[in-house]
Amino acid sequence: MKELAGRLTALDPDAGAAVRVIAYFDRLAESRAGVEALVRGAAVLAGCPARLVDPDRRVHVRVEADGIRRDAGPPPDPAWPSAPLDPEGAGALWLERAGAGPGAVSTRAEPTRVGTEPLAAAPSVVDAVLLERAAGALRVVLDRTRGRAPADDPALVETLLDATAPEQARVHAARRLGLDPASPARAVAPLNGRPRVISGVVPPGGPARADAALPFSVLRGTVDAGPGGAPARTEGADPAAEQAGTRSGTGLPAARLGIGPAVPVLELPRSWAEARTALRFTAEGTAQDPGPRVVYADELGGIALLADLVAPGSEPPPDVRALETAAATAPWLPATLHAVASTASLRAAAAGINLHHSTLQDRLTHAEHLLGWPIRTPQGRLRLQLALAMRRLARP
């Protein structure tokens, strides 16, 4: 093969490079190289990051041109060259070659790593051969090692989130669901819906905020996710609510969500507990119940301690009672106070609720009279923020 590649290179550099690519992946396949090694080979040979995304098997591997695995990265660009793993599946191998059409190839390949001369810059042919051979080898390895991940099994997700389940049972559940116990995952608690487990690489902006195709999987379970609810099985999750809509591109429901911190899979019970706490800090996002519909537990910080002090359905603290009394006489008050408490300045608050600055000042004067404390001082603003948070926590 090496001699043939040399002869072909003298006649047609692209043909010679393509033969070397074929030989390279044949050697990897013969040595039973794993998924990451194959993606690394594609990245190093192509001289640009390579990304394997297989949602069916919940596999996401991204390796940069220097051979180092870095799973975080921008969403796949349709303009990148790619090859499907299966004609009927969603899995694909991508070459993150910005500004190049399908089949293009860079001249930055590192010959010492692959035993070839630098790939010639022409590229479409070489890129196409590289993708085809790498995708074929990856398909074989995935079929051999991963098979097909089972459909989301609520009982398995329940086991993953159950702190009382033996570790061996949770390891078994993770494997059945196709989860890597060493990979990060988050528990998601929707209001009146089935819990989710987000596995894989979660983008910095968070799964509920992303709009693009994302390199993670969402698994559903059957644990009661109501605020303060115990993690007990429920058979009555509302299917209509499940179908009521999902956040664009995330697989998550459009309902209020509490999202737990990213943890190793075996620590998901802790993430689930914190997700349920975060859910209590969410709001409907309406004029009468303003606030975030999605709350991340790891963004709460010390304010999460309030959840232990204010039980759902308990007698509201005095400041919350003052808020409710004031809101009964001034319907505009909850949204106005939320805008003031959640923005950096009064001008920003006025802009957020489409008020003139002077109108906002008049409202705040009236609100301070109703509440009985100032809300334009740092101390008063903190008291207002706590009162709004406790108002959500005290709901049944």
Side-chain angles (χ1 to χ4, degrees), residues 281-305:
F281 285 90
T282 62
E284 291 295 339
T286 63
Q288 293 306 307
D289 188 16
R293 290 177 60 80
V294 179
V295 171
Y296 289 75
D298 40 14
E299 294 180 354
L300 286 173
I303 201 171
L305 297 174

PDB file of all heavy atoms in Angstrom, residues 281-305:
ATOM      1  N   PHE A 281     -37.541  27.799  43.352  1.00  0.00           N
ATOM      2  CA  PHE A 281     -37.215  29.204  43.125  1.00  0.00           C
ATOM      3  C   PHE A 281     -37.726  29.705  41.778  1.00  0.00           C
ATOM      4  O   PHE A 281     -37.521  30.864  41.434  1.00  0.00           O
ATOM      5  CB  PHE A 281     -35.692  29.411  43.198  1.00  0.00           C
ATOM      6  CG  PHE A 281     -35.141  29.376  44.599  1.00  0.00           C
ATOM      7  CD1 PHE A 281     -34.712  28.187  45.165  1.00  0.00           C
ATOM      8  CD2 PHE A 281     -35.049  30.547  45.350  1.00  0.00           C
ATOM      9  CE1 PHE A 281     -34.202  28.153  46.452  1.00  0.00           C
ATOM     10  CE2 PHE A 281     -34.532  30.519  46.637  1.00  0.00           C
ATOM     11  CZ  PHE A 281     -34.114  29.324  47.195  1.00  0.00           C
ATOM     12  N   THR A 282     -38.347  28.844  40.992  1.00  0.00           N
ATOM     13  CA  THR A 282     -38.840  29.275  39.683  1.00  0.00           C
ATOM     14  C   THR A 282     -40.177  29.988  39.831  1.00  0.00           C
ATOM     15  O   THR A 282     -40.836  29.913  40.870  1.00  0.00           O
ATOM     16  CB  THR A 282     -39.009  28.080  38.731  1.00  0.00           C
ATOM     17  OG1 THR A 282     -39.994  27.183  39.279  1.00  0.00           O
ATOM     18  CG2 THR A 282     -37.695  27.337  38.542  1.00  0.00           C
ATOM     19  N   ALA A 283     -40.561  30.669  38.770  1.00  0.00           N
ATOM     20  CA  ALA A 283     -41.845  31.379  38.750  1.00  0.00           C
ATOM     21  C   ALA A 283     -42.494  31.129  37.394  1.00  0.00           C
ATOM     22  O   ALA A 283     -41.865  30.600  36.470  1.00  0.00           O
ATOM     23  CB  ALA A 283     -41.629  32.868  38.980  1.00  0.00           C
ATOM     24  N   GLU A 284     -43.756  31.546  37.286  1.00  0.00           N
ATOM     25  CA  GLU A 284     -44.458  31.372  36.015  1.00  0.00           C
ATOM     26  C   GLU A 284     -44.013  32.382  34.961  1.00  0.00           C
ATOM     27  O   GLU A 284     -44.289  32.236  33.783  1.00  0.00           O
ATOM     28  CB  GLU A 284     -45.966  31.478  36.229  1.00  0.00           C
ATOM     29  CG  GLU A 284     -46.560  30.326  37.017  1.00  0.00           C
ATOM     30  CD  GLU A 284     -46.458  29.005  36.276  1.00  0.00           C
ATOM     31  OE1 GLU A 284     -46.311  29.034  35.035  1.00  0.00           O
ATOM     32  OE2 GLU A 284     -46.493  27.948  36.918  1.00  0.00           O
ATOM     33  N   GLY A 285     -43.381  33.446  35.417  1.00  0.00           N
ATOM     34  CA  GLY A 285     -42.947  34.464  34.468  1.00  0.00           C
ATOM     35  C   GLY A 285     -44.077  35.362  33.999  1.00  0.00           C
ATOM     36  O   GLY A 285     -43.986  35.996  32.948  1.00  0.00           O
ATOM     37  N   THR A 286     -45.140  35.445  34.785  1.00  0.00           N
ATOM     38  CA  THR A 286     -46.279  36.294  34.441  1.00  0.00           C
ATOM     39  C   THR A 286     -46.230  37.580  35.259  1.00  0.00           C
ATOM     40  O   THR A 286     -45.379  37.737  36.149  1.00  0.00           O
ATOM     41  CB  THR A 286     -47.593  35.559  34.731  1.00  0.00           C
ATOM     42  OG1 THR A 286     -47.678  35.283  36.149  1.00  0.00           O
ATOM     43  CG2 THR A 286     -47.658  34.240  33.972  1.00  0.00           C
ATOM     44  N   ALA A 287     -47.193  38.476  34.993  1.00  0.00           N
ATOM     45  CA  ALA A 287     -47.214  39.750  35.716  1.00  0.00           C
ATOM     46  C   ALA A 287     -47.465  39.536  37.200  1.00  0.00           C
ATOM     47  O   ALA A 287     -46.939  40.269  38.036  1.00  0.00           O
ATOM     48  CB  ALA A 287     -48.278  40.664  35.119  1.00  0.00           C
ATOM     49  N   GLN A 288     -48.285  38.546  37.527  1.00  0.00           N
ATOM     50  CA  GLN A 288     -48.578  38.295  38.932  1.00  0.00           C
ATOM     51  C   GLN A 288     -47.578  37.349  39.585  1.00  0.00           C
ATOM     52  O   GLN A 288     -47.508  37.256  40.810  1.00  0.00           O
ATOM     53  CB  GLN A 288     -49.996  37.718  39.062  1.00  0.00           C
ATOM     54  CG  GLN A 288     -51.079  38.717  38.694  1.00  0.00           C
ATOM     55  CD  GLN A 288     -50.957  40.016  39.488  1.00  0.00           C
ATOM     56  OE1 GLN A 288     -50.891  40.004  40.713  1.00  0.00           O
ATOM     57  NE2 GLN A 288     -50.911  41.155  38.782  1.00  0.00           N
ATOM     58  N   ASP A 289     -46.859  36.601  38.778  1.00  0.00           N
ATOM     59  CA  ASP A 289     -45.839  35.682  39.309  1.00  0.00           C
ATOM     60  C   ASP A 289     -44.561  35.850  38.498  1.00  0.00           C
ATOM     61  O   ASP A 289     -44.132  34.949  37.769  1.00  0.00           O
ATOM     62  CB  ASP A 289     -46.338  34.237  39.240  1.00  0.00           C
ATOM     63  CG  ASP A 289     -45.377  33.273  39.958  1.00  0.00           C
ATOM     64  OD1 ASP A 289     -44.529  33.748  40.740  1.00  0.00           O
ATOM     65  OD2 ASP A 289     -45.471  32.052  39.711  1.00  0.00           O
ATOM     66  N   PRO A 290     -43.947  37.024  38.601  1.00  0.00           N
ATOM     67  CA  PRO A 290     -42.754  37.276  37.775  1.00  0.00           C
ATOM     68  C   PRO A 290     -41.538  36.523  38.319  1.00  0.00           C
ATOM     69  O   PRO A 290     -41.467  36.210  39.510  1.00  0.00           O
ATOM     70  CB  PRO A 290     -42.574  38.787  37.912  1.00  0.00           C
ATOM     71  CG  PRO A 290     -43.137  39.111  39.257  1.00  0.00           C
ATOM     72  CD  PRO A 290     -44.292  38.159  39.465  1.00  0.00           C
ATOM     73  N   GLY A 291     -40.617  36.253  37.437  1.00  0.00           N
ATOM     74  CA  GLY A 291     -39.390  35.580  37.856  1.00  0.00           C
ATOM     75  C   GLY A 291     -38.950  34.572  36.811  1.00  0.00           C
ATOM     76  O   GLY A 291     -39.622  34.365  35.799  1.00  0.00           O
ATOM     77  N   PRO A 292     -37.824  33.934  37.047  1.00  0.00           N
ATOM     78  CA  PRO A 292     -37.271  32.991  36.056  1.00  0.00           C
ATOM     79  C   PRO A 292     -38.054  31.680  36.009  1.00  0.00           C
ATOM     80  O   PRO A 292     -38.425  31.133  37.047  1.00  0.00           O
ATOM     81  CB  PRO A 292     -35.846  32.764  36.556  1.00  0.00           C
ATOM     82  CG  PRO A 292     -35.943  32.978  38.032  1.00  0.00           C
ATOM     83  CD  PRO A 292     -36.963  34.055  38.237  1.00  0.00           C
ATOM     84  N   ARG A 293     -38.274  31.171  34.824  1.00  0.00           N
ATOM     85  CA  ARG A 293     -38.939  29.875  34.679  1.00  0.00           C
ATOM     86  C   ARG A 293     -37.932  28.728  34.771  1.00  0.00           C
ATOM     87  O   ARG A 293     -38.316  27.572  34.921  1.00  0.00           O
ATOM     88  CB  ARG A 293     -39.682  29.802  33.342  1.00  0.00           C
ATOM     89  CG  ARG A 293     -40.908  30.728  33.307  1.00  0.00           C
ATOM     90  CD  ARG A 293     -41.593  30.681  31.940  1.00  0.00           C
ATOM     91  NE  ARG A 293     -42.050  29.352  31.580  1.00  0.00           N
ATOM     92  CZ  ARG A 293     -43.167  28.792  32.020  1.00  0.00           C
ATOM     93  NH1 ARG A 293     -43.944  29.451  32.859  1.00  0.00           N
ATOM     94  NH2 ARG A 293     -43.514  27.580  31.621  1.00  0.00           N
ATOM     95  N   VAL A 294     -36.673  29.055  34.636  1.00  0.00           N
ATOM     96  CA  VAL A 294     -35.612  28.041  34.749  1.00  0.00           C
ATOM     97  C   VAL A 294     -34.580  28.532  35.756  1.00  0.00           C
ATOM     98  O   VAL A 294     -34.101  29.659  35.654  1.00  0.00           O
ATOM     99  CB  VAL A 294     -34.922  27.795  33.397  1.00  0.00           C
ATOM    100  CG1 VAL A 294     -33.803  26.764  33.552  1.00  0.00           C
ATOM    101  CG2 VAL A 294     -35.930  27.334  32.354  1.00  0.00           C
ATOM    102  N   VAL A 295     -34.277  27.697  36.735  1.00  0.00           N
ATOM    103  CA  VAL A 295     -33.287  28.063  37.746  1.00  0.00           C
ATOM    104  C   VAL A 295     -32.251  26.948  37.849  1.00  0.00           C
ATOM    105  O   VAL A 295     -32.600  25.761  37.931  1.00  0.00           O
ATOM    106  CB  VAL A 295     -33.945  28.302  39.124  1.00  0.00           C
ATOM    107  CG1 VAL A 295     -32.883  28.472  40.209  1.00  0.00           C
ATOM    108  CG2 VAL A 295     -34.828  29.551  39.068  1.00  0.00           C
ATOM    109  N   TYR A 296     -30.988  27.343  37.830  1.00  0.00           N
ATOM    110  CA  TYR A 296     -29.886  26.394  37.971  1.00  0.00           C
ATOM    111  C   TYR A 296     -29.433  26.359  39.425  1.00  0.00           C
ATOM    112  O   TYR A 296     -29.128  27.396  40.004  1.00  0.00           O
ATOM    113  CB  TYR A 296     -28.720  26.804  37.071  1.00  0.00           C
ATOM    114  CG  TYR A 296     -29.006  26.593  35.614  1.00  0.00           C
ATOM    115  CD1 TYR A 296     -29.847  27.450  34.921  1.00  0.00           C
ATOM    116  CD2 TYR A 296     -28.462  25.519  34.929  1.00  0.00           C
ATOM    117  CE1 TYR A 296     -30.139  27.245  33.595  1.00  0.00           C
ATOM    118  CE2 TYR A 296     -28.743  25.306  33.599  1.00  0.00           C
ATOM    119  CZ  TYR A 296     -29.578  26.168  32.938  1.00  0.00           C
ATOM    120  OH  TYR A 296     -29.872  25.957  31.615  1.00  0.00           O
ATOM    121  N   ALA A 297     -29.380  25.177  39.985  1.00  0.00           N
ATOM    122  CA  ALA A 297     -29.022  25.049  41.400  1.00  0.00           C
ATOM    123  C   ALA A 297     -27.650  25.630  41.688  1.00  0.00           C
ATOM    124  O   ALA A 297     -27.439  26.253  42.736  1.00  0.00           O
ATOM    125  CB  ALA A 297     -29.073  23.579  41.809  1.00  0.00           C
ATOM    126  N   ASP A 298     -26.714  25.443  40.754  1.00  0.00           N
ATOM    127  CA  ASP A 298     -25.363  25.915  41.043  1.00  0.00           C
ATOM    128  C   ASP A 298     -25.223  27.424  40.881  1.00  0.00           C
ATOM    129  O   ASP A 298     -24.140  27.958  41.067  1.00  0.00           O
ATOM    130  CB  ASP A 298     -24.315  25.171  40.211  1.00  0.00           C
ATOM    131  CG  ASP A 298     -24.749  24.910  38.790  1.00  0.00           C
ATOM    132  OD1 ASP A 298     -25.745  25.528  38.369  1.00  0.00           O
ATOM    133  OD2 ASP A 298     -24.096  24.106  38.108  1.00  0.00           O
ATOM    134  N   GLU A 299     -26.310  28.111  40.536  1.00  0.00           N
ATOM    135  CA  GLU A 299     -26.265  29.571  40.482  1.00  0.00           C
ATOM    136  C   GLU A 299     -26.949  30.197  41.693  1.00  0.00           C
ATOM    137  O   GLU A 299     -26.970  31.412  41.822  1.00  0.00           O
ATOM    138  CB  GLU A 299     -26.927  30.070  39.188  1.00  0.00           C
ATOM    139  CG  GLU A 299     -26.162  29.682  37.935  1.00  0.00           C
ATOM    140  CD  GLU A 299     -26.833  30.186  36.666  1.00  0.00           C
ATOM    141  OE1 GLU A 299     -27.948  30.744  36.768  1.00  0.00           O
ATOM    142  OE2 GLU A 299     -26.245  30.006  35.582  1.00  0.00           O
ATOM    143  N   LEU A 300     -27.529  29.371  42.554  1.00  0.00           N
ATOM    144  CA  LEU A 300     -28.253  29.917  43.706  1.00  0.00           C
ATOM    145  C   LEU A 300     -27.306  30.376  44.809  1.00  0.00           C
ATOM    146  O   LEU A 300     -27.587  31.344  45.508  1.00  0.00           O
ATOM    147  CB  LEU A 300     -29.219  28.866  44.261  1.00  0.00           C
ATOM    148  CG  LEU A 300     -30.482  28.612  43.425  1.00  0.00           C
ATOM    149  CD1 LEU A 300     -31.260  27.442  44.007  1.00  0.00           C
ATOM    150  CD2 LEU A 300     -31.356  29.854  43.372  1.00  0.00           C
ATOM    151  N   GLY A 301     -26.209  29.657  44.979  1.00  0.00           N
ATOM    152  CA  GLY A 301     -25.292  30.008  46.053  1.00  0.00           C
ATOM    153  C   GLY A 301     -25.961  29.875  47.415  1.00  0.00           C
ATOM    154  O   GLY A 301     -26.806  28.993  47.645  1.00  0.00           O
ATOM    155  N   GLY A 302     -25.645  30.795  48.319  1.00  0.00           N
ATOM    156  CA  GLY A 302     -26.159  30.725  49.684  1.00  0.00           C
ATOM    157  C   GLY A 302     -27.655  30.938  49.793  1.00  0.00           C
ATOM    158  O   GLY A 302     -28.277  30.536  50.789  1.00  0.00           O
ATOM    159  N   ILE A 303     -28.262  31.544  48.761  1.00  0.00           N
ATOM    160  CA  ILE A 303     -29.696  31.792  48.838  1.00  0.00           C
ATOM    161  C   ILE A 303     -30.483  30.480  48.848  1.00  0.00           C
ATOM    162  O   ILE A 303     -31.644  30.442  49.267  1.00  0.00           O
ATOM    163  CB  ILE A 303     -30.145  32.687  47.658  1.00  0.00           C
ATOM    164  CG1 ILE A 303     -31.469  33.372  48.006  1.00  0.00           C
ATOM    165  CG2 ILE A 303     -30.298  31.889  46.383  1.00  0.00           C
ATOM    166  CD1 ILE A 303     -31.874  34.436  47.006  1.00  0.00           C
ATOM    167  N   ALA A 304     -29.844  29.381  48.416  1.00  0.00           N
ATOM    168  CA  ALA A 304     -30.528  28.075  48.458  1.00  0.00           C
ATOM    169  C   ALA A 304     -30.883  27.687  49.890  1.00  0.00           C
ATOM    170  O   ALA A 304     -31.812  26.906  50.111  1.00  0.00           O
ATOM    171  CB  ALA A 304     -29.640  27.002  47.824  1.00  0.00           C
ATOM    172  N   LEU A 305     -30.161  28.236  50.873  1.00  0.00           N
ATOM    173  CA  LEU A 305     -30.448  27.906  52.273  1.00  0.00           C
ATOM    174  C   LEU A 305     -31.844  28.366  52.688  1.00  0.00           C
ATOM    175  O   LEU A 305     -32.417  27.835  53.636  1.00  0.00           O
ATOM    176  CB  LEU A 305     -29.393  28.539  53.185  1.00  0.00           C
ATOM    177  CG  LEU A 305     -27.951  28.034  52.968  1.00  0.00           C
ATOM    178  CD1 LEU A 305     -26.985  28.832  53.828  1.00  0.00           C
ATOM    179  CD2 LEU A 305     -27.860  26.546  53.279  1.00  0.00           C
TER     180      LEU A 305
END
